[in-house]
Amino acid sequence: MNNSTSIIALKDIAGRYEFVNQQFEDTFNIKSENILGKTDSEFLSQSTADDFRIKELEVVRKLKPLETEDHLHFNNQEIYLLSIRFPLIGSDNLPYGVCTQSSDISSRVKAESQLRLAAKVFDRSSEGIVVTDQSRQTLTVNEAFTKITGFSAEEVIGKPPSFMTTGLQDNAFIETIWNSIETKGWWQGEILNRRKNGDIYPEWLTVNAI
């Protein structure tokens, strides 16, 4: 258990700690001798302690493992854990404790939060945004793009953005754009594009390679 990368804790039926492994000590910056015999309410917030106790009692009542995502604040840190709690059964077939194994998923949760924020910015931007792959095929567009061009996402995904060009700019101009993107990583300037209804309009375009 002490060699495990999981956070492991054993508690008795009353919720008192009987064992914590090295990963538990490292995560919570607490020595085992300072927690054994104590309950969660003696070192965690009451709301977190109550949440953990409810989950442990459910495991004892159902005698089945329970997988949950735990969220807690400790030592000015926000910690997210993916936890599996399972009952410890004695020779008399009665539960005598609960074992909890947890993985710290704080980094993953924060990364997902940043992705959701980026998605909101993408969706709510007033500027039309197009994302293409390396072969210049459209992967996704935002709502502003649809409002500006009249094309829905379904109509453009899988196509190169060049299908909206007017033909008023020659191939040399288009290649200049892509050469700049490939050498500098970006291009910015004015081009002429065509809306779905056929209208030609001037567009200030910024292209960035990611």
Side-chain angles (χ1 to χ4, degrees):
M1 287 186 179
N2 277 325
N3 289 327
S4 174
T5 57
S6 296
I7 302 164
I8 301 176
L10 305 181
K11 296 179 185 176
D12 63 17
I13 290 295
R16 292 185 294 260
Y17 283 93
E18 294 190 329
F19 170 83
V20 296
N21 72 340
Q22 186 64 51
Q23 190 65 37
F24 184 104
E25 292 182 330
D26 294 342
T27 300
F28 293 101
N29 192 27
I30 188 171
K31 292 297 183 181
S32 60
E33 56 263 28
N34 295 325
I35 193 173
L36 297 185
K38 297 181 179 179
T39 64
D40 285 320
S41 60
E42 295 179 73
F43 83 106
L44 294 174
S45 70
Q46 193 60 51
S47 60
T48 299
D50 291 342
D51 177 54
F52 285 5
R53 188 60 180 149
I54 289 171
K55 292 170 181 174
E56 291 161 6
L57 290 174
E58 183 176 353
V59 168
V60 172
R61 181 172 60 85
K62 293 183 177 180
L63 297 182
K64 290 183 179 180
L66 176 66
E67 184 175 14
T68 62
E69 188 173 297
D70 299 329
H71 178 206
L72 61 147
H73 294 270
F74 185 75
N75 279 350
N76 297 318
Q77 295 185 68
E78 194 170 23
I79 302 175
Y80 291 86
L81 302 173
L82 182 62
S83 301
I84 298 177
R85 294 174 174 84
F86 55 90
L88 302 173
I89 310 296
S91 57
D92 55 1
N93 291 323
L94 294 176
Y96 65 87
V98 174
C99 178
T100 302
Q101 295 185 18
S102 304
S103 299
D104 190 338
I105 58 170
S106 302
S107 297
R108 190 194 78 188
V109 170
K110 290 174 183 176
E112 290 172 351
S113 177
Q114 290 297 312
L115 286 174
R116 286 193 293 271
L117 178 60
K120 287 182 180 179
V121 173
F122 176 83
D123 288 334
R124 297 178 184 179
S125 173
S126 60
E127 295 182 319
I129 302 176
V130 181
V131 180
T132 68
D133 61 17
Q134 287 181 315
S135 60
R136 305 180 190 176
Q137 305 301 304
T138 300
L139 298 176
T140 187
V141 298
N142 68 348
E143 186 177 345
F145 170 88
T146 297
K147 290 180 179 178
I148 292 170
T149 67
F151 289 102
S152 67
E154 292 75 17
E155 292 173 307
V156 299
I157 289 176
K159 297 180 180 179
S162 58
F163 84 92
M164 294 181 293
T165 56
T166 62
L168 299 175
Q169 292 146 151
D170 58 23
N171 290 334
F173 175 76
I174 302 299
E175 285 306 312
T176 299
I177 295 176
W178 285 108
N179 286 337
S180 177
I181 295 168
E182 290 169 2
T183 57
K184 300 178 182 177
W186 64 277
W187 182 87
Q188 189 176 70
E190 187 175 302
I191 66 169
L192 295 174
N193 257 353
R194 189 188 306 274
R195 303 187 206 276
K196 184 178 180 180
N197 63 8
D199 289 347
I200 295 174
Y201 68 100
E203 177 178 277
W204 185 257
L205 179 67
T206 300
V207 185
N208 290 290
I210 302 174

